[in-house]
Amino acid sequence: MTEVLKISLPDGSVREMEAGATPADVAAAIGPGLAKAALAARVDGEVRDIGRPFDGDAELELITARNEADALELVRHDYAHVLAEAVQALWPGTQITFGPATDDGFYYDVMAPESREPFGMDDLPAIEEKMREIIKADKPLRREVWSREQLIEKWEGEGETFKAEWAKELPEDEELTVYWSGDDWLDMCRGPHLASTGKLDPQAFKLMRVAGAYWRGDQRNAQLTRIYGTGWLNKKQLKAHLHRLEEAAKRDHRKLGREMDLFHLQEEAHGSVFWHPQGYKIWRALEAYMRRRMDAAGYREVKTPQVMDARQWEQSGHWGKYRENMFVIPDEVPNTEDEGPLVSDDADWMALKPMNCPAHVLIFKQGITSYRDLPIRLGEMGCCHRNEPHGALHGILRVRQFTQDDAHIFCTEDQVVEEVRAFCKLVDTVYNDFGFDYQIKLALRPEKRFGSDAMWDKAEEELRQAVIDAGMASEDYGWEELPGEGAFYAPKLEWHLTDAIGRTWQIGTMQSDRVLPERLDASYIGEDGEKHRPVMLHRAIFGTFERFIGVLIEHFAGKLPLWIAPTQAVVATIVSDADDYARAVAEKLEAAGIRVEADLRNEKINYKVREHSHAKVPNLLVVGMREAEEGTVALRRLGSDEHQKVMAVDELVTMLAEEATPPDLR
């Protein structure tokens, strides 16, 4: 008697299928439209090939282009394999390594054959053409299970040294799979894949760039070429993505930073920002704003050392879990002679702080703290250093030296939910002041962590409940829980901002921590007269000033809100006879608190207008002899369709002073 499998569908119905049946068979049984649209299947929660037979009774969800996240992951994975196949078809002897899907596309790391130079941008058109040829051939993609020995023999026989090395290290008991593209090319891969290359849209991908990459990410290993591409479900999505990239390039904070003379970076200080006067005005405006918000919310500002002894970092757990990201310093006078090592083997070690939290615990521990003193909210505009790899640095968005709007709240168990709820409201106020939409995510326990499961259960539930109490655990706030994404010592809430062109940026955080107070022996005296551990809440709103300013520049395309614009107005003269009047207007504006400059250069007014528009000055005040005689100015607004507006000086000063008032002071 033929075995019958029961396949449960999302609508609650059950299909009976013969043993050996596949999700593709189920799709065909439902209807020809679904059979054509189905790309893959989720079988008992695992995404699988549409043509892979069921192992037994199963729950089935068919994946189509409507399941966009799953579908994009699949097609991008397939584009990566087609890329590798195309490169090897064009240049036999090319070694392939790995090629995953990424957030907006895919890449593959390859090594060119010895007969030619490493691959470059000039090779991309030929590779794209070959990829389209492979896609149009509609080659079936077929899964096979191989033994380690088969894989090693295959790769060594074809001179694929990287693949052979990897195959030798795979676990003995792991099921090893390869995927054939037709009958003439295969790659080692866990899958899943589409049914055939023809399921890809040949007009929905584009190869973008090449870069150097080391085998297994280790600079001691061979250097490979990483070929990046972007891949989508259809041509329309690709076109929209390329348009977003064009818009992002116009908004690039590095480009605008140069044009607006805000900051620069250079090799002599990798990952550290040289803030110019204009850029530092933005910083100071943000710092003053955040200081007022924190003062009003009951925070007490502190300042802690840059360098602390390694023993402190060992006690906190950072030395063991985080040392590769720390700058360590020998605690001895270096050798100044030409001979001998720079430092001795006996040197004690210190480290630049990568975060402020242990130092804040040390402040909390000074003296005796009563439960009546809690909560204690310690804030610091704290400069930190993290040893990020050079290749990971990106403008001022990812740096090595950064300053956080950091704070730590020490509270009792009973105060946690209310403190987190109040923080959610504070964050909402701040982000609304900048016009940002945002989403809240709860990052849950990672696999490697400190603390017991019971401790993590409690910490996660407290954060969850606080968001519920704040009325923000809903679709309106993009509420989502992220398994495995928490820090090693605590779960965390994350705030993801959405910018003007739809990109998301993870900025604010709140972490509920019971580990660090335990490790550093922090305590308070409870109502019962006994010592108790405080809960430590780690929180930031801007995240870092560097990153937040970079996001602001890109979000506003340099046209910053008036209250944080480095120069809020420029008084520009048409003729030199109006210089004295321009100075008088500038003085009135300055007296009203406006950041203003007078442009008295002997240049044509059209030149001045273009230059200050390029520098994103919000208000250009043009004055000539007529304005001087009438006590007026001609106002030109940056980006306004209105040519100009003539106003009395006092009226203008009142208007700009009101517009330039920070939102928390209005």
Side-chain angles (χ1 to χ4, degrees):
M1 183 175 176
T2 304
E3 182 185 359
V4 175
L5 305 179
K6 295 183 182 297
I7 308 302
S8 304
L9 300 175
D11 64 359
S13 64
V14 177
R15 291 269 173 170
E16 292 189 345
M17 307 295 293
E18 291 186 1
T22 68
D25 296 327
V26 176
I30 294 172
L34 184 58
K36 184 177 180 181
L39 301 174
R42 182 172 280 103
V43 179
D44 293 332
E46 177 190 2
V47 178
R48 289 186 169 190
D49 307 332
I50 194 78
R52 181 175 170 183
F54 294 107
D55 300 324
D57 295 346
E59 293 184 359
L60 170 67
E61 178 189 357
L62 293 167
I63 295 172
T64 69
R66 291 175 180 269
N67 309 97
E68 189 168 286
D70 289 322
L72 283 171
E73 179 81 15
L74 283 160
V75 301
R76 288 166 179 167
H77 190 179
D78 280 29
Y79 279 127
H81 277 247
V82 172
L83 165 60
E85 181 178 354
V87 173
Q88 289 198 313
L90 289 168
W91 294 281
T94 299
Q95 290 197 59
I96 58 174
T97 60
F98 297 105
T102 64
D103 287 342
D104 63 0
F106 56 94
Y107 69 79
Y108 215 108
D109 290 346
V110 298
M111 175 177 272
E114 294 181 0
S115 58
R116 60 153 293 156
E117 296 294 314
F119 299 113
M121 292 295 292
D122 292 344
D123 297 310
L124 299 189
I127 300 172
E128 283 187 356
E129 185 178 347
K130 192 66 177 178
M131 288 176 68
R132 292 191 176 94
E133 183 183 311
I134 294 168
I135 291 168
K136 289 174 182 175
D138 196 18
K139 301 174 71 175
L141 300 175
R142 188 176 76 257
R143 177 180 184 270
E144 287 185 359
V145 178
W146 283 26
S147 68
R148 288 173 77 250
E149 290 69 26
Q150 280 179 288
L151 278 171
I152 294 167
E153 182 180 353
K154 156 81 174 172
W155 298 131
E156 287 185 339
E158 296 184 359
E160 293 275 11
T161 57
F162 302 110
K163 289 283 193 184
E165 177 184 324
W166 189 259
K168 290 174 184 176
E169 297 179 12
L170 292 171
E172 295 277 357
D173 56 349
E174 184 176 322
E175 184 178 72
L176 307 179
T177 55
V178 300
Y179 277 80
W180 285 94
S181 173
D183 295 315
D184 58 347
W185 190 86
L186 67 76
D187 196 3
M188 179 168 64
C189 182
R190 288 193 180 95
H193 283 280
L194 302 175
S196 69
T197 60
K199 289 287 187 179
L200 298 170
D201 184 338
Q203 303 303 320
F205 78 94
K206 181 176 177 58
L207 299 184
M208 304 298 291
R209 61 190 176 94
V210 299
Y214 293 104
W215 168 236
R216 305 178 83 162
D218 189 334
Q219 62 185 4
R220 294 169 296 185
N221 291 338
Q223 187 164 26
L224 311 170
T225 300
R226 178 167 294 175
I227 303 176
Y228 286 94
T230 185
W232 300 86
L233 298 175
N234 53 58
K235 186 177 180 179
K236 183 179 177 181
Q237 286 185 340
L238 172 64
K239 186 177 179 181
H241 175 69
L242 295 177
H243 176 72
R244 285 194 299 271
L245 291 181
E246 288 176 13
E247 187 60 32
K250 295 176 190 173
R251 295 167 176 264
D252 191 316
H253 71 280
R254 296 165 296 182
K255 170 180 171 287
L256 292 172
R258 288 191 301 271
E259 293 175 0
M260 298 170 68
D261 193 25
L262 303 180
F263 60 84
H264 81 274
L265 301 121
Q266 62 186 70
E267 289 186 359
E268 287 78 3
H270 271 299
S272 298
V273 185
F274 293 83
W275 288 102
H276 297 191
Q278 289 292 86
Y280 203 56
K281 287 177 186 176
I282 301 172
W283 181 299
R284 290 179 61 191
L286 292 174
E287 187 175 53
Y289 164 82
M290 183 53 70
R291 185 167 278 123
R292 291 191 301 270
R293 285 291 187 202
M294 289 173 68
D295 286 348
Y299 290 84
R300 290 180 271 179
E301 191 168 355
V302 298
K303 199 71 176 171
T304 58
Q306 283 293 304
V307 180
M308 291 200 299
D309 193 284
R311 286 182 287 271
Q312 180 65 44
W313 299 110
E314 288 171 359
Q315 192 176 353
S316 69
H318 292 90
W319 196 254
K321 293 278 187 181
Y322 203 76
R323 188 170 64 231
E324 70 273 14
N325 297 113
M326 298 170 70
F327 288 101
V328 297
I329 305 167
D331 187 14
E332 71 174 22
V333 177
N335 177 25
T336 58
E337 303 297 329
D338 293 336
E339 302 295 328
L342 190 63
V343 295
S344 71
D345 293 337
D346 300 326
D348 289 330
W349 291 96
M350 306 184 79
L352 283 168
K353 64 177 177 181
M355 52 199 66
N356 301 299
C357 29
H360 287 195
V361 176
L362 297 183
I363 290 178
F364 176 83
K365 288 176 62 177
Q366 294 298 301
I368 298 173
T369 300
S370 165
Y371 71 95
R372 295 188 184 91
D373 301 319
L374 301 181
I376 292 174
R377 308 180 188 97
L378 300 180
E380 179 173 7
M381 308 300 178
C383 179
C384 298
H385 292 78
R386 293 182 187 171
N387 193 1
E388 301 280 4
H390 287 196
L393 302 175
H394 179 67
I396 64 173
L397 296 175
R398 187 163 182 182
V399 292
R400 286 173 148 187
Q401 177 185 292
F402 54 89
T403 299
Q404 298 174 308
D405 64 317
D406 201 11
H408 297 91
I409 302 169
F410 298 89
C411 61
T412 67
E413 299 275 349
D414 294 340
Q415 293 169 334
V416 171
V417 172
E418 173 55 26
E419 285 297 312
V420 177
R421 185 205 65 80
F423 179 71
C424 290
K425 292 295 187 181
L426 175 59
V427 173
D428 183 69
T429 299
V430 171
Y431 291 161
N432 284 336
D433 282 346
F434 291 93
F436 280 117
D437 293 327
Y438 64 84
Q439 299 176 320
I440 307 177
K441 315 290 184 187
L442 174 57
L444 304 173
R445 69 195 74 183
E447 186 176 338
K448 294 182 179 180
R449 59 186 182 267
F450 286 149
S452 66
D453 285 345
M455 184 202 79
W456 278 85
D457 289 342
K458 185 173 178 61
E460 289 170 353
E461 180 55 31
E462 286 167 343
L463 295 183
R464 186 181 294 113
Q465 188 60 50
V467 179
I468 292 171
D469 289 355
M472 297 176 178
S474 66
E475 286 187 15
D476 291 342
Y477 290 90
W479 173 249
E480 185 182 3
E481 299 193 5
L482 307 175
E485 295 294 314
F488 68 85
Y489 53 88
K492 61 178 177 176
L493 293 173
E494 300 176 346
W495 277 261
H496 295 248
L497 307 190
T498 303
D499 72 9
I501 58 174
R503 298 171 300 181
T504 57
W505 306 85
Q506 196 265 299
I507 300 292
T509 57
M510 161 62 81
Q511 296 169 306
S512 173
D513 179 13
R514 288 169 169 81
V515 172
L516 200 58
E518 179 74 32
R519 293 184 69 92
L520 297 183
D521 194 28
S523 63
Y524 67 91
I525 303 301
E527 194 171 2
D528 58 2
E530 300 296 322
K531 285 186 176 183
H532 298 267
R533 294 281 181 230
V535 179
M536 184 178 185
L537 304 177
H538 308 245
R539 43 112 298 172
I541 301 176
F542 289 164
T544 76
F545 280 84
E546 290 81 0
R547 181 172 170 80
F548 194 70
I549 291 172
V551 170
L552 286 176
I553 292 169
E554 298 203 0
H555 175 61
F556 290 108
K559 301 170 186 175
L560 297 168
L562 187 59
W563 68 277
I564 53 172
T567 298
Q568 295 167 326
V570 167
V571 185
T573 54
I574 299 173
V575 293
S576 58
D577 289 346
D579 286 359
D580 288 343
Y581 179 65
R583 291 189 188 96
V585 172
E587 286 172 4
K588 279 194 172 185
L589 288 164
E590 192 171 359
I594 304 297
R595 293 188 288 275
V596 61
E597 296 175 4
D599 186 349
L600 311 179
R601 294 174 299 165
N602 185 25
E603 299 284 357
K604 292 182 178 180
I605 190 61
N606 287 342
Y607 176 83
K608 293 181 181 181
V609 170
R610 284 196 305 272
E611 188 175 80
H612 294 302
S613 296
H614 196 60
K616 305 295 188 289
V617 175
N619 298 291
L620 186 61
L621 315 177
V622 178
V623 297
M625 288 312 298
R626 178 188 295 179
E627 287 79 15
E629 291 166 3
E630 297 176 354
T632 61
V633 297
L635 169 64
R636 289 172 178 254
R637 297 275 201 179
L638 179 66
S640 174
D641 293 332
E642 186 179 347
H643 181 58
Q644 63 183 26
K645 180 180 180 181
V646 177
M647 300 179 67
V649 172
D650 289 345
E651 180 188 359
L652 174 88
V653 170
T654 301
M655 181 185 74
L656 291 186
E658 185 176 328
E659 292 178 359
T661 301
D664 62 306
L665 298 178
R666 291 172 190 162

